[in-house]
Amino acid sequence: MPELNREHHRERVRKAYLKNSFDSMSDSNVLELLLFYAIPRKDVKEISYALINRFGTLEAVFDADVKELMKVEGVGENTAILINLFHNIEIRIDKNKNKNIKKLDSSAKSMKFVENELSGQTREKVIVITLDNSLNVIAVNDVSQGSSSAASVEPYKVLECVFKDTASNIILAYNHPSGKNRPSNSDIGFTLEIINLCRKVKTNVNDHIIVGTDGAFSMASDIEYSMYFDN
């Protein structure tokens, strides 16, 4: 009887999904549906609840490390890999959107490019996008990754990117995974320091873009900060 009830429940959840009811499904049901295919012969409802209870949100479950996921009873290595893989696939898809963007010659393009690069990141990450004289993208360099609330980068690491890529222009960017996209006083100070350093090596800092929970913010396009840049 329990076997029959489990199969009926699975079928109900699958049918709900097939009827385009995804938006009305709870987070635990979404996770449960995925677990059906990782754990085919076991009731996974309690496992889905346990995962969300442990990590707090559905997003945090998918962002969790494989080893942390395996600490939840009923989650083996294969299941943990499948859950973790979804988050990394999402990041890869967003990054792939930039493959056809060759030139960053406007703030709108630059902000969209940076959002694609930093989408899905739950830790602060600093990147340096190097550009040639025609504003074609040379490379995207990861220069620092911190916690969910703080990342720092030494100025010399930015210059290393400039020299490595023989860049004429650069765009600084980083994310606030759990905060707004406005620059802090330390962000402003860091921006000015990098601008002055890059001027000494005849490289232009085109922008400093911050991605927060409210989207991307371009310092070079904002009236309060545009005076700092040589554009």
Side-chain angles (χ1 to χ4, degrees), residues 8-18 25 29-30 32-33 36:
H8 283 171
H9 174 67
R10 288 185 176 223
E11 190 60 25
R12 285 194 298 271
V13 176
R14 280 193 289 262
K15 283 182 177 179
Y17 178 78
L18 290 172
M25 292 175 71
N29 276 154
V30 170
E32 189 180 358
L33 179 59
F36 288 167

Side-chain angles (χ1 to χ4, degrees), residues 59 114-115 118-124 148-149 174-183 209-217:
E59 297 91 331
V114 168
E115 281 189 292
L118 297 177
S119 174
Q121 299 290 337
T122 55
R123 296 179 181 275
E124 286 202 358
S148 60
S149 60
Y174 79 100
N175 61 322
H176 279 165
S178 56
K180 300 296 185 181
N181 60 17
R182 300 294 294 190
I209 296 171
I210 303 165
V211 177
T213 55
D214 48 350
F217 176 82

Side-chain angles (χ1 to χ4, degrees), residues 5-206:
N5 288 339
R6 183 178 71 239
E7 287 307 315
H8 283 171
H9 174 67
R10 288 185 176 223
E11 190 60 25
R12 285 194 298 271
V13 176
R14 280 193 289 262
K15 283 182 177 179
Y17 178 78
L18 290 172
K19 288 179 180 178
N20 297 318
S21 301
F22 182 79
D23 288 343
S24 63
M25 292 175 71
S26 67
D27 286 352
S28 61
N29 276 154
V30 170
L31 186 54
E32 189 180 358
L33 179 59
L34 175 64
L35 292 174
F36 288 167
Y37 301 96
I39 310 172
R41 299 192 178 279
K42 186 176 180 179
D43 188 350
V44 295
K45 181 185 288 188
E46 293 304 318
I47 297 174
S48 70
Y49 285 136
L51 283 163
I52 291 175
N53 286 338
R54 177 179 177 87
F55 296 103
T57 65
L58 183 65
E59 297 91 331
V61 172
F62 282 103
D63 184 52
D65 179 79
V66 168
K67 290 182 179 179
E68 289 299 313
L69 289 165
M70 290 175 63
K71 292 179 181 179
V72 175
E73 186 176 354
V75 177
E77 185 178 64
N78 286 345
T79 302
I81 289 172
L82 180 64
I83 294 171
N84 181 263
L85 180 62
F86 270 75
H87 176 71
N88 288 316
I89 287 173
E90 179 187 17
I91 293 174
R92 176 69 63 86
I93 288 171
D94 283 329
K95 283 190 174 185
N96 283 349
K97 292 174 183 176
N98 285 340
K99 285 185 175 179
N100 294 323
I101 302 176
K102 307 299 183 185
K103 179 178 288 194
L104 299 182
D105 54 359
S106 72
S107 293
K109 278 187 184 179
S110 299
M111 285 191 288
K112 187 60 182 173
F113 188 94
V114 168
E115 281 189 292
N116 289 339
E117 282 294 324
L118 297 177
S119 174
Q121 299 290 337
T122 55
R123 296 179 181 275
E124 286 202 358
K125 185 176 184 179
V126 182
I127 61 175
V128 175
I129 304 167
T130 50
L131 311 167
D132 65 17
N133 201 44
S134 299
L135 303 181
N136 296 306
V137 177
I138 301 172
V140 178
N141 300 275
D142 295 348
V143 294
S144 178
Q145 185 160 326
S147 66
S148 60
S149 60
S152 60
V153 57
E154 295 295 334
Y156 78 86
K157 289 191 174 182
V158 177
L159 288 183
E160 282 181 352
C161 299
V162 171
F163 296 140
K164 174 179 68 71
D165 297 336
T166 320
S168 300
N169 303 273
I170 65 168
I171 294 172
L172 302 171
Y174 79 100
N175 61 322
H176 279 165
S178 56
K180 300 296 185 181
N181 60 17
R182 300 294 294 190
S184 64
N185 289 334
S186 61
D187 296 332
I188 295 167
F190 175 73
T191 303
L192 292 172
E193 182 178 9
I194 297 302
I195 288 173
N196 289 329
L197 276 174
C198 285
R199 281 174 180 159
K200 293 177 181 179
V201 294
K202 296 181 169 43
T203 299
N204 191 44
V205 179
N206 291 19

